[in-house]
Amino acid sequence: STTPTPTHFSNTTPLDSTPKQPFVIGVSGGTASGKTTVCDMIIQQLHDHRVVLVNQDSFYRGLTPEEMTRVHEYNFDHPDAFDTEQLLECVGKLKSGLSVQVPIYDFKTHQRCSDSFRQVNASDVIILEGILVFHDARVRNLMSMKIFVDTDADVRLARRIRRDTVERGRDINSVLEQYAKFVKPAFDDFVLPSKKYADVIIPRGGDNHVAIDLIVQHIRTKLGQHDLCKIYPNVYVIQSTFQI
Ligand code: ADP
Ligand code: C5P
């Protein structure tokens, strides 16, 4: 028989006594793999929940005047290019239910906009997206679910050439030079090794509707457990232990 038998209780206290914490999802993958596209699709499908997106790119350090004179020698793909302390503080605050001001980064000037920020409010789901969001253990530990978007390098390079020349004010030679000198080596040294931390790997990014549907279903289940506790505060959540 496959009758479910409630043999295991996940908690000895009703779950409503634990404060509701946002569900934090990390989305990583190489440049132009489709991370933002996947995040947008998840957000669209979770339309009945409050979801916010935080981009690791927002935490790029602005270049000093000295660095600006040799911008072609700057490695934007190294973990040190980001202000990870600030990112940690920001996601930590969001996770504890506070709203935050996220910096706005300009890829054309390699600087942060000094006088404007994006207000990000507390929400049910926080998605943190970026090439190196799995690199730092402290950032990883904030996440309840980690997704790696896995797209072939030639497809990513083709997309990057188009995007950087159209949207980020670059010429094709500088894109190819930067790719060979920094982007590809850093992918091999830092991004690819962090794939092992992923819970879910999505081949083909935004084209993979099945994977995105499954992920959204999982998030809904996790959020639903909280909602159930709001409706039935004395109900204990029974984990899926089945006796066959
Ligand atoms: P990332 O956030 O990983 O850098 P994006 O989602 O921003 O990647 O995608 C990078 C570029 O590739 C964008 O210009 C986007 O429009 C394009 N792109 C993303 N996914 C697809 C896809 N499945 N098919 C075609 N173009 C895509
Ligand atoms: O959106 P995506 O994940 O591709 O953004 C990360 C990429 O942005 C990195 O590979 C880095 O080379 C590039 N970048 C850049 N110029 C900057 C900042 C980042 O080309 N000023």
Side-chain angles (χ1 to χ4, degrees), residues 29-38 129 149 159-160 162-163 167-168 204-207:
T31 181
S33 55
K35 298 182 293 297
T36 310
T37 306
V38 165
E129 167 274 323
V149 182
R159 286 182 189 163
R160 172 136 177 175
R162 187 178 293 130
R163 181 193 64 193
E167 294 170 23
R168 294 188 179 175
R204 307 180 308 281
D207 292 337

Side-chain angles (χ1 to χ4, degrees), residues 187-216:
F187 177 83
D188 293 338
D189 291 347
F190 303 113
V191 184
L192 201 52
S194 75
K195 184 175 164 181
K196 64 174 175 280
Y197 299 113
D199 303 305
V200 183
I201 295 167
I202 311 188
R204 307 180 308 281
D207 292 337
N208 194 334
H209 293 267
V210 174
I212 290 161
D213 284 354
L214 286 168
I215 288 163
V216 169

Side-chain angles (χ1 to χ4, degrees), residues 89-180:
E89 190 190 332
C90 177
V91 180
K93 277 186 179 168
L94 277 174
K95 210 176 162 178
S96 51
L98 300 168
S99 55
V100 292
Q101 303 274 339
V102 175
I104 297 173
Y105 185 73
D106 184 345
F107 286 92
K108 288 186 180 162
T109 60
H110 314 287
Q111 301 294 342
R112 290 181 179 185
C113 302
S114 56
D115 51 357
S116 48
F117 292 86
R118 182 170 69 100
Q119 162 107 8
V120 177
N121 292 325
S123 30
D124 304 323
V125 181
I126 300 161
I127 307 182
L128 176 58
E129 167 274 323
I131 51 170
L132 289 169
V133 289
F134 297 165
H135 177 74
D136 189 302
R138 297 167 303 166
V139 180
R140 277 201 313 272
N141 288 339
L142 294 169
M143 299 166 182
S144 317
M145 183 187 195
K146 299 182 208 68
I147 300 170
F148 190 93
V149 182
D150 201 2
T151 303
D152 290 346
D154 55 350
V155 175
R156 292 192 291 103
L157 176 58
R159 286 182 189 163
R160 172 136 177 175
I161 292 169
R162 187 178 293 130
R163 181 193 64 193
D164 284 9
T165 52
V166 173
E167 294 170 23
R168 294 188 179 175
R170 314 286 167 89
D171 64 69
I172 187 159
N173 278 331
S174 80
V175 178
L176 293 176
E177 254 172 51
Q178 184 190 6
Y179 188 86

